[in-house]
PDB file of all heavy atoms in Angstrom:
ATOM      1  N   ASP A   1      -0.323 -17.335   3.003  1.00 98.00           N
ATOM      2  CA  ASP A   1      -0.688 -17.763   4.364  1.00 98.00           C
ATOM      3  C   ASP A   1      -0.325 -16.569   5.279  1.00 98.00           C
ATOM      4  O   ASP A   1       0.826 -16.164   5.497  1.00 98.00           O
ATOM      5  CB  ASP A   1       0.311 -18.898   4.879  1.00 98.00           C
ATOM      6  CG  ASP A   1      -0.255 -19.482   6.166  1.00 98.00           C
ATOM      7  OD1 ASP A   1      -0.487 -18.742   7.093  1.00 98.00           O
ATOM      8  OD2 ASP A   1      -0.509 -20.714   6.297  1.00 98.00           O
ATOM      9  N   HIS A   2      -1.490 -15.860   5.593  1.00 97.00           N
ATOM     10  CA  HIS A   2      -1.296 -14.780   6.406  1.00 97.00           C
ATOM     11  C   HIS A   2      -0.421 -14.822   7.712  1.00 97.00           C
ATOM     12  O   HIS A   2       0.395 -13.865   8.046  1.00 97.00           O
ATOM     13  CB  HIS A   2      -2.606 -14.033   6.774  1.00 97.00           C
ATOM     14  CG  HIS A   2      -2.653 -12.877   7.666  1.00 97.00           C
ATOM     15  ND1 HIS A   2      -2.442 -11.626   7.069  1.00 97.00           N
ATOM     16  CD2 HIS A   2      -2.641 -12.705   9.003  1.00 97.00           C
ATOM     17  CE1 HIS A   2      -2.453 -10.692   7.995  1.00 97.00           C
ATOM     18  NE2 HIS A   2      -2.496 -11.316   9.216  1.00 97.00           N
ATOM     19  N   ASP A   3      -0.571 -15.866   8.361  1.00 97.00           N
ATOM     20  CA  ASP A   3       0.056 -16.063   9.700  1.00 97.00           C
ATOM     21  C   ASP A   3       1.529 -16.568   9.417  1.00 97.00           C
ATOM     22  O   ASP A   3       2.430 -16.140  10.236  1.00 97.00           O
ATOM     23  CB  ASP A   3      -0.728 -17.022  10.542  1.00 97.00           C
ATOM     24  CG  ASP A   3      -2.045 -16.588  10.873  1.00 97.00           C
ATOM     25  OD1 ASP A   3      -2.240 -15.314  11.133  1.00 97.00           O
ATOM     26  OD2 ASP A   3      -3.004 -17.297  10.944  1.00 97.00           O
ATOM     27  N   ARG A   4       1.770 -17.341   8.493  1.00 97.00           N
ATOM     28  CA  ARG A   4       3.161 -18.010   8.325  1.00 97.00           C
ATOM     29  C   ARG A   4       4.059 -17.366   7.140  1.00 97.00           C
ATOM     30  O   ARG A   4       5.155 -17.689   7.073  1.00 97.00           O
ATOM     31  CB  ARG A   4       3.042 -19.445   8.106  1.00 97.00           C
ATOM     32  CG  ARG A   4       2.297 -20.334   9.180  1.00 97.00           C
ATOM     33  CD  ARG A   4       2.217 -21.690   8.850  1.00 97.00           C
ATOM     34  NE  ARG A   4       1.428 -22.522   9.873  1.00 97.00           N
ATOM     35  CZ  ARG A   4       0.134 -22.642   9.947  1.00 97.00           C
ATOM     36  NH1 ARG A   4      -0.667 -22.195   8.970  1.00 97.00           N
ATOM     37  NH2 ARG A   4      -0.391 -23.395  10.897  1.00 97.00           N
ATOM     38  N   GLY A   5       3.389 -16.538   6.311  1.00 98.00           N
ATOM     39  CA  GLY A   5       4.018 -16.210   5.171  1.00 98.00           C
ATOM     40  C   GLY A   5       4.969 -14.975   5.164  1.00 98.00           C
ATOM     41  O   GLY A   5       5.980 -14.857   4.484  1.00 98.00           O
ATOM     42  N   GLY A   6       4.737 -14.068   5.996  1.00 98.00           N
ATOM     43  CA  GLY A   6       5.476 -12.927   6.338  1.00 98.00           C
ATOM     44  C   GLY A   6       5.032 -11.745   5.348  1.00 98.00           C
ATOM     45  O   GLY A   6       4.543 -12.034   4.238  1.00 98.00           O
ATOM     46  N   TYR A   7       5.293 -10.472   5.868  1.00 98.00           N
ATOM     47  CA  TYR A   7       4.741  -9.406   5.062  1.00 98.00           C
ATOM     48  C   TYR A   7       5.728  -8.028   5.470  1.00 98.00           C
ATOM     49  O   TYR A   7       6.376  -8.154   6.550  1.00 98.00           O
ATOM     50  CB  TYR A   7       3.395  -8.956   5.207  1.00 98.00           C
ATOM     51  CG  TYR A   7       2.995  -8.792   6.567  1.00 98.00           C
ATOM     52  CD1 TYR A   7       2.928  -7.505   7.211  1.00 98.00           C
ATOM     53  CD2 TYR A   7       2.433  -9.835   7.433  1.00 98.00           C
ATOM     54  CE1 TYR A   7       2.517  -7.245   8.494  1.00 98.00           C
ATOM     55  CE2 TYR A   7       1.963  -9.540   8.778  1.00 98.00           C
ATOM     56  CZ  TYR A   7       2.052  -8.255   9.249  1.00 98.00           C
ATOM     57  OH  TYR A   7       1.681  -8.088  10.512  1.00 98.00           O
ATOM     58  N   PHE A   8       5.587  -7.045   4.692  1.00 98.00           N
ATOM     59  CA  PHE A   8       6.378  -5.807   4.999  1.00 98.00           C
ATOM     60  C   PHE A   8       5.223  -4.691   4.753  1.00 98.00           C
ATOM     61  O   PHE A   8       4.962  -4.339   3.651  1.00 98.00           O
ATOM     62  CB  PHE A   8       7.431  -5.639   3.985  1.00 98.00           C
ATOM     63  CG  PHE A   8       8.289  -4.516   4.180  1.00 98.00           C
ATOM     64  CD1 PHE A   8       8.184  -3.550   5.327  1.00 98.00           C
ATOM     65  CD2 PHE A   8       9.244  -4.169   3.209  1.00 98.00           C
ATOM     66  CE1 PHE A   8       8.923  -2.428   5.364  1.00 98.00           C
ATOM     67  CE2 PHE A   8      10.148  -2.997   3.363  1.00 98.00           C
ATOM     68  CZ  PHE A   8       9.977  -2.171   4.525  1.00 98.00           C
ATOM     69  N   ARG A   9       4.826  -4.143   5.877  1.00 98.00           N
ATOM     70  CA  ARG A   9       3.762  -3.049   5.775  1.00 98.00           C
ATOM     71  C   ARG A   9       4.359  -1.585   6.115  1.00 98.00           C
ATOM     72  O   ARG A   9       5.141  -1.569   7.038  1.00 98.00           O
ATOM     73  CB  ARG A   9       2.607  -3.352   6.780  1.00 98.00           C
ATOM     74  CG  ARG A   9       1.568  -2.305   6.968  1.00 98.00           C
ATOM     75  CD  ARG A   9       0.401  -2.719   7.814  1.00 98.00           C
ATOM     76  NE  ARG A   9      -0.577  -1.678   8.115  1.00 98.00           N
ATOM     77  CZ  ARG A   9      -0.473  -0.864   9.086  1.00 98.00           C
ATOM     78  NH1 ARG A   9       0.377  -0.939  10.020  1.00 98.00           N
ATOM     79  NH2 ARG A   9      -1.430   0.065   9.135  1.00 98.00           N
ATOM     80  N   LEU A  10       4.036  -0.772   5.222  1.00 98.00           N
ATOM     81  CA  LEU A  10       4.314   0.729   5.452  1.00 98.00           C
ATOM     82  C   LEU A  10       3.028   1.523   4.930  1.00 98.00           C
ATOM     83  O   LEU A  10       2.738   1.488   3.736  1.00 98.00           O
ATOM     84  CB  LEU A  10       5.464   1.180   4.732  1.00 98.00           C
ATOM     85  CG  LEU A  10       5.861   2.735   4.854  1.00 98.00           C
ATOM     86  CD1 LEU A  10       6.289   3.002   6.393  1.00 98.00           C
ATOM     87  CD2 LEU A  10       7.028   3.048   4.096  1.00 98.00           C
ATOM     88  N   ALA A  11       2.311   1.998   5.967  1.00 98.00           N
ATOM     89  CA  ALA A  11       0.932   2.565   5.730  1.00 98.00           C
ATOM     90  C   ALA A  11       0.481   3.584   6.766  1.00 98.00           C
ATOM     91  O   ALA A  11       1.073   3.511   7.809  1.00 98.00           O
ATOM     92  CB  ALA A  11       0.059   1.421   5.592  1.00 98.00           C
ATOM     93  N   SER A  12      -0.564   4.304   6.406  1.00 97.00           N
ATOM     94  CA  SER A  12      -1.039   5.186   7.433  1.00 97.00           C
ATOM     95  C   SER A  12      -1.612   4.261   8.607  1.00 97.00           C
ATOM     96  O   SER A  12      -2.079   3.251   8.491  1.00 97.00           O
ATOM     97  CB  SER A  12      -2.258   5.980   6.731  1.00 97.00           C
ATOM     98  OG  SER A  12      -3.077   6.508   7.834  1.00 97.00           O
ATOM     99  N   ASP A  13      -1.574   4.917   9.803  1.00 96.00           N
ATOM    100  CA  ASP A  13      -2.045   4.178  11.004  1.00 96.00           C
ATOM    101  C   ASP A  13      -3.509   4.275  11.173  1.00 96.00           C
ATOM    102  O   ASP A  13      -4.176   3.632  12.120  1.00 96.00           O
ATOM    103  CB  ASP A  13      -1.371   4.766  12.297  1.00 96.00           C
ATOM    104  CG  ASP A  13      -1.797   6.107  12.680  1.00 96.00           C
ATOM    105  OD1 ASP A  13      -2.415   6.884  11.713  1.00 96.00           O
ATOM    106  OD2 ASP A  13      -1.653   6.577  13.855  1.00 96.00           O
ATOM    107  N   ASP A  14      -4.188   4.961  10.187  1.00 94.00           N
ATOM    108  CA  ASP A  14      -5.600   5.269  10.279  1.00 94.00           C
ATOM    109  C   ASP A  14      -6.383   4.079   9.530  1.00 94.00           C
ATOM    110  O   ASP A  14      -6.340   4.002   8.311  1.00 94.00           O
ATOM    111  CB  ASP A  14      -6.045   6.496   9.654  1.00 94.00           C
ATOM    112  CG  ASP A  14      -7.547   6.879   9.761  1.00 94.00           C
ATOM    113  OD1 ASP A  14      -8.318   5.891  10.213  1.00 94.00           O
ATOM    114  OD2 ASP A  14      -7.962   7.923   9.419  1.00 94.00           O
ATOM    115  N   PRO A  15      -7.030   3.164  10.193  1.00 91.00           N
ATOM    116  CA  PRO A  15      -7.584   1.967   9.558  1.00 91.00           C
ATOM    117  C   PRO A  15      -8.775   2.371   8.703  1.00 91.00           C
ATOM    118  O   PRO A  15      -9.252   1.582   7.733  1.00 91.00           O
ATOM    119  CB  PRO A  15      -8.043   1.149  10.692  1.00 91.00           C
ATOM    120  CG  PRO A  15      -8.243   1.971  11.795  1.00 91.00           C
ATOM    121  CD  PRO A  15      -7.154   3.032  11.607  1.00 91.00           C
ATOM    122  N   GLN A  16      -9.288   3.558   8.763  1.00 92.00           N
ATOM    123  CA  GLN A  16     -10.396   4.043   8.081  1.00 92.00           C
ATOM    124  C   GLN A  16     -10.036   4.878   6.801  1.00 92.00           C
ATOM    125  O   GLN A  16     -10.787   5.475   6.140  1.00 92.00           O
ATOM    126  CB  GLN A  16     -11.365   4.936   8.966  1.00 92.00           C
ATOM    127  CG  GLN A  16     -11.838   4.062  10.174  1.00 92.00           C
ATOM    128  CD  GLN A  16     -12.532   2.775   9.795  1.00 92.00           C
ATOM    129  OE1 GLN A  16     -13.345   2.656   8.806  1.00 92.00           O
ATOM    130  NE2 GLN A  16     -12.226   1.707  10.538  1.00 92.00           N
ATOM    131  N   ALA A  17      -8.660   5.089   6.702  1.00 96.00           N
ATOM    132  CA  ALA A  17      -8.229   5.869   5.653  1.00 96.00           C
ATOM    133  C   ALA A  17      -8.734   5.353   4.205  1.00 96.00           C
ATOM    134  O   ALA A  17      -8.597   4.101   4.026  1.00 96.00           O
ATOM    135  CB  ALA A  17      -6.676   6.012   5.632  1.00 96.00           C
ATOM    136  N   THR A  18      -8.984   6.234   3.398  1.00 97.00           N
ATOM    137  CA  THR A  18      -9.292   5.779   1.960  1.00 97.00           C
ATOM    138  C   THR A  18      -7.901   5.558   1.228  1.00 97.00           C
ATOM    139  O   THR A  18      -7.145   6.441   1.238  1.00 97.00           O
ATOM    140  CB  THR A  18     -10.158   6.881   1.271  1.00 97.00           C
ATOM    141  OG1 THR A  18     -11.450   6.915   1.882  1.00 97.00           O
ATOM    142  CG2 THR A  18     -10.400   6.470  -0.087  1.00 97.00           C
ATOM    143  N   CYS A  19      -7.855   4.422   0.610  1.00 97.00           N
ATOM    144  CA  CYS A  19      -6.590   4.097  -0.125  1.00 97.00           C
ATOM    145  C   CYS A  19      -6.868   4.059  -1.636  1.00 97.00           C
ATOM    146  O   CYS A  19      -7.815   3.569  -2.246  1.00 97.00           O
ATOM    147  CB  CYS A  19      -6.178   2.694   0.254  1.00 97.00           C
ATOM    148  SG  CYS A  19      -5.746   2.645   2.087  1.00 97.00           S
ATOM    149  N   LYS A  20      -5.881   4.650  -2.291  1.00 98.00           N
ATOM    150  CA  LYS A  20      -5.934   4.730  -3.816  1.00 98.00           C
ATOM    151  C   LYS A  20      -4.504   4.311  -4.281  1.00 98.00           C
ATOM    152  O   LYS A  20      -3.519   4.759  -3.492  1.00 98.00           O
ATOM    153  CB  LYS A  20      -6.288   6.098  -4.366  1.00 98.00           C
ATOM    154  CG  LYS A  20      -7.665   6.583  -4.003  1.00 98.00           C
ATOM    155  CD  LYS A  20      -8.793   5.835  -4.635  1.00 98.00           C
ATOM    156  CE  LYS A  20     -10.190   6.404  -4.265  1.00 98.00           C
ATOM    157  NZ  LYS A  20     -11.188   5.597  -4.915  1.00 98.00           N
ATOM    158  N   GLN A  21      -4.393   3.663  -5.448  1.00 98.00           N
ATOM    159  CA  GLN A  21      -3.077   3.282  -5.838  1.00 98.00           C
ATOM    160  C   GLN A  21      -3.000   3.576  -7.360  1.00 98.00           C
ATOM    161  O   GLN A  21      -3.940   3.358  -8.125  1.00 98.00           O
ATOM    162  CB  GLN A  21      -2.839   1.803  -5.588  1.00 98.00           C
ATOM    163  CG  GLN A  21      -1.470   1.340  -5.688  1.00 98.00           C
ATOM    164  CD  GLN A  21      -1.349  -0.163  -5.157  1.00 98.00           C
ATOM    165  OE1 GLN A  21      -1.985  -1.034  -5.693  1.00 98.00           O
ATOM    166  NE2 GLN A  21      -0.490  -0.355  -4.201  1.00 98.00           N
ATOM    167  N   LEU A  22      -1.820   3.985  -7.770  1.00 98.00           N
ATOM    168  CA  LEU A  22      -1.519   4.301  -9.147  1.00 98.00           C
ATOM    169  C   LEU A  22      -0.006   4.166  -9.472  1.00 98.00           C
ATOM    170  O   LEU A  22       0.748   4.142  -8.571  1.00 98.00           O
ATOM    171  CB  LEU A  22      -2.018   5.666  -9.607  1.00 98.00           C
ATOM    172  CG  LEU A  22      -1.195   6.783  -9.011  1.00 98.00           C
ATOM    173  CD1 LEU A  22      -1.380   8.135  -9.944  1.00 98.00           C
ATOM    174  CD2 LEU A  22      -1.580   7.233  -7.771  1.00 98.00           C
ATOM    175  N   TYR A  23       0.400   4.032 -10.735  1.00 98.00           N
ATOM    176  CA  TYR A  23       1.695   4.003 -11.086  1.00 98.00           C
ATOM    177  C   TYR A  23       2.160   5.515 -11.510  1.00 98.00           C
ATOM    178  O   TYR A  23       1.333   6.181 -12.059  1.00 98.00           O
ATOM    179  CB  TYR A  23       2.096   3.035 -12.342  1.00 98.00           C
ATOM    180  CG  TYR A  23       2.111   1.680 -11.988  1.00 98.00           C
ATOM    181  CD1 TYR A  23       1.107   0.730 -12.340  1.00 98.00           C
ATOM    182  CD2 TYR A  23       3.331   1.231 -11.431  1.00 98.00           C
ATOM    183  CE1 TYR A  23       1.263  -0.586 -12.071  1.00 98.00           C
ATOM    184  CE2 TYR A  23       3.442  -0.120 -11.078  1.00 98.00           C
ATOM    185  CZ  TYR A  23       2.361  -1.172 -11.463  1.00 98.00           C
ATOM    186  OH  TYR A  23       2.587  -2.343 -11.159  1.00 98.00           O
ATOM    187  N   TYR A  24       3.312   5.940 -11.116  1.00 98.00           N
ATOM    188  CA  TYR A  24       3.783   7.044 -11.775  1.00 98.00           C
ATOM    189  C   TYR A  24       3.898   6.948 -13.243  1.00 98.00           C
ATOM    190  O   TYR A  24       4.254   5.789 -13.744  1.00 98.00           O
ATOM    191  CB  TYR A  24       5.205   7.408 -11.231  1.00 98.00           C
ATOM    192  CG  TYR A  24       5.729   8.866 -11.420  1.00 98.00           C
ATOM    193  CD1 TYR A  24       5.342   9.724 -10.535  1.00 98.00           C
ATOM    194  CD2 TYR A  24       6.406   9.143 -12.569  1.00 98.00           C
ATOM    195  CE1 TYR A  24       5.662  11.177 -10.892  1.00 98.00           C
ATOM    196  CE2 TYR A  24       6.688  10.464 -12.892  1.00 98.00           C
ATOM    197  CZ  TYR A  24       6.354  11.454 -11.947  1.00 98.00           C
ATOM    198  OH  TYR A  24       6.799  12.756 -12.160  1.00 98.00           O
ATOM    199  N   PRO A  25       3.331   7.920 -14.108  1.00 97.00           N
ATOM    200  CA  PRO A  25       3.160   7.588 -15.487  1.00 97.00           C
ATOM    201  C   PRO A  25       4.320   6.843 -16.203  1.00 97.00           C
ATOM    202  O   PRO A  25       5.397   7.349 -16.204  1.00 97.00           O
ATOM    203  CB  PRO A  25       2.885   9.006 -15.927  1.00 97.00           C
ATOM    204  CG  PRO A  25       2.314   9.848 -14.976  1.00 97.00           C
ATOM    205  CD  PRO A  25       3.036   9.246 -13.651  1.00 97.00           C
ATOM    206  N   ASP A  26       4.012   5.766 -16.973  1.00 98.00           N
ATOM    207  CA  ASP A  26       4.820   5.083 -17.756  1.00 98.00           C
ATOM    208  C   ASP A  26       6.038   4.632 -17.026  1.00 98.00           C
ATOM    209  O   ASP A  26       7.151   4.577 -17.651  1.00 98.00           O
ATOM    210  CB  ASP A  26       5.270   5.931 -19.020  1.00 98.00           C
ATOM    211  CG  ASP A  26       4.103   6.056 -19.977  1.00 98.00           C
ATOM    212  OD1 ASP A  26       3.287   5.282 -20.048  1.00 98.00           O
ATOM    213  OD2 ASP A  26       4.286   7.144 -20.801  1.00 98.00           O
ATOM    214  N   THR A  27       5.916   4.144 -15.818  1.00 98.00           N
ATOM    215  CA  THR A  27       7.002   3.501 -14.972  1.00 98.00           C
ATOM    216  C   THR A  27       6.459   2.340 -14.286  1.00 98.00           C
ATOM    217  O   THR A  27       5.264   2.034 -14.304  1.00 98.00           O
ATOM    218  CB  THR A  27       7.487   4.638 -14.089  1.00 98.00           C
ATOM    219  OG1 THR A  27       6.643   4.756 -12.848  1.00 98.00           O
ATOM    220  CG2 THR A  27       7.732   5.969 -14.617  1.00 98.00           C
ATOM    221  N   ALA A  28       7.458   1.727 -13.477  1.00 98.00           N
ATOM    222  CA  ALA A  28       7.079   0.662 -12.472  1.00 98.00           C
ATOM    223  C   ALA A  28       7.122   1.163 -11.090  1.00 98.00           C
ATOM    224  O   ALA A  28       7.310   0.266 -10.131  1.00 98.00           O
ATOM    225  CB  ALA A  28       7.965  -0.502 -12.751  1.00 98.00           C
ATOM    226  N   SER A  29       7.183   2.495 -10.959  1.00 98.00           N
ATOM    227  CA  SER A  29       7.124   3.081  -9.592  1.00 98.00           C
ATOM    228  C   SER A  29       5.611   3.221  -8.993  1.00 98.00           C
ATOM    229  O   SER A  29       4.798   3.909  -9.768  1.00 98.00           O
ATOM    230  CB  SER A  29       7.750   4.337  -9.490  1.00 98.00           C
ATOM    231  OG  SER A  29       9.227   4.342  -9.923  1.00 98.00           O
ATOM    232  N   LEU A  30       5.248   2.616  -7.893  1.00 98.00           N
ATOM    233  CA  LEU A  30       3.974   2.424  -7.467  1.00 98.00           C
ATOM    234  C   LEU A  30       3.658   3.364  -6.345  1.00 98.00           C
ATOM    235  O   LEU A  30       4.441   3.443  -5.466  1.00 98.00           O
ATOM    236  CB  LEU A  30       3.706   0.930  -7.038  1.00 98.00           C
ATOM    237  CG  LEU A  30       2.288   0.551  -6.813  1.00 98.00           C
ATOM    238  CD1 LEU A  30       1.523   0.569  -8.005  1.00 98.00           C
ATOM    239  CD2 LEU A  30       2.312  -0.863  -6.166  1.00 98.00           C
ATOM    240  N   VAL A  31       2.592   4.182  -6.442  1.00 98.00           N
ATOM    241  CA  VAL A  31       2.162   5.124  -5.565  1.00 98.00           C
ATOM    242  C   VAL A  31       0.960   4.658  -4.829  1.00 98.00           C
ATOM    243  O   VAL A  31      -0.050   4.445  -5.483  1.00 98.00           O
ATOM    244  CB  VAL A  31       1.972   6.530  -6.149  1.00 98.00           C
ATOM    245  CG1 VAL A  31       1.723   7.557  -5.085  1.00 98.00           C
ATOM    246  CG2 VAL A  31       3.164   6.885  -6.988  1.00 98.00           C
ATOM    247  N   THR A  32       1.049   4.526  -3.474  1.00 98.00           N
ATOM    248  CA  THR A  32      -0.210   4.235  -2.723  1.00 98.00           C
ATOM    249  C   THR A  32      -0.566   5.368  -1.963  1.00 98.00           C
ATOM    250  O   THR A  32       0.290   5.902  -1.015  1.00 98.00           O
ATOM    251  CB  THR A  32       0.056   2.913  -1.878  1.00 98.00           C
ATOM    252  OG1 THR A  32       0.591   1.824  -2.663  1.00 98.00           O
ATOM    253  CG2 THR A  32      -1.252   2.473  -1.170  1.00 98.00           C
ATOM    254  N   ARG A  33      -1.764   5.864  -1.905  1.00 98.00           N
ATOM    255  CA  ARG A  33      -2.216   7.063  -1.325  1.00 98.00           C
ATOM    256  C   ARG A  33      -3.164   6.830  -0.102  1.00 98.00           C
ATOM    257  O   ARG A  33      -4.086   5.886  -0.365  1.00 98.00           O
ATOM    258  CB  ARG A  33      -2.952   8.103  -2.223  1.00 98.00           C
ATOM    259  CG  ARG A  33      -1.959   8.283  -3.582  1.00 98.00           C
ATOM    260  CD  ARG A  33      -2.618   9.505  -4.432  1.00 98.00           C
ATOM    261  NE  ARG A  33      -2.379  10.686  -3.846  1.00 98.00           N
ATOM    262  CZ  ARG A  33      -3.256  11.775  -3.696  1.00 98.00           C
ATOM    263  NH1 ARG A  33      -4.452  11.474  -4.176  1.00 98.00           N
ATOM    264  NH2 ARG A  33      -2.938  12.912  -3.169  1.00 98.00           N
ATOM    265  N   PHE A  34      -3.056   7.498   0.889  1.00 98.00           N
ATOM    266  CA  PHE A  34      -3.909   7.299   2.116  1.00 98.00           C
ATOM    267  C   PHE A  34      -4.549   8.559   2.453  1.00 98.00           C
ATOM    268  O   PHE A  34      -3.903   9.644   2.693  1.00 98.00           O
ATOM    269  CB  PHE A  34      -3.094   6.841   3.372  1.00 98.00           C
ATOM    270  CG  PHE A  34      -2.274   5.512   3.068  1.00 98.00           C
ATOM    271  CD1 PHE A  34      -1.047   5.493   2.393  1.00 98.00           C
ATOM    272  CD2 PHE A  34      -2.810   4.331   3.326  1.00 98.00           C
ATOM    273  CE1 PHE A  34      -0.278   4.292   2.228  1.00 98.00           C
ATOM    274  CE2 PHE A  34      -2.176   3.140   3.049  1.00 98.00           C
ATOM    275  CZ  PHE A  34      -0.911   3.128   2.496  1.00 98.00           C
TER     276      PHE A  34
END
């Protein structure tokens, strides 16, 4: 529920930024690129 469920956002302020996501190799550390 977008309105009632809650979220935690940390992201570029540019809504047009191209986003890519990957894991650091062989880990559970997640990298999100803007």
Side-chain angles (χ1 to χ4, degrees):
D1 193 307
H2 175 82
D3 297 322
R4 298 180 181 89
Y7 60 87
F8 182 11
R9 175 175 175 263
L10 182 62
S12 166
D13 72 342
D14 183 353
Q16 303 305 316
T18 299
C19 300
K20 300 288 185 180
Q21 198 173 56
L22 70 156
Y23 281 108
Y24 196 85
D26 287 341
T27 77
S29 298
L30 190 66
V31 183
T32 306
R33 310 188 75 223
F34 303 89

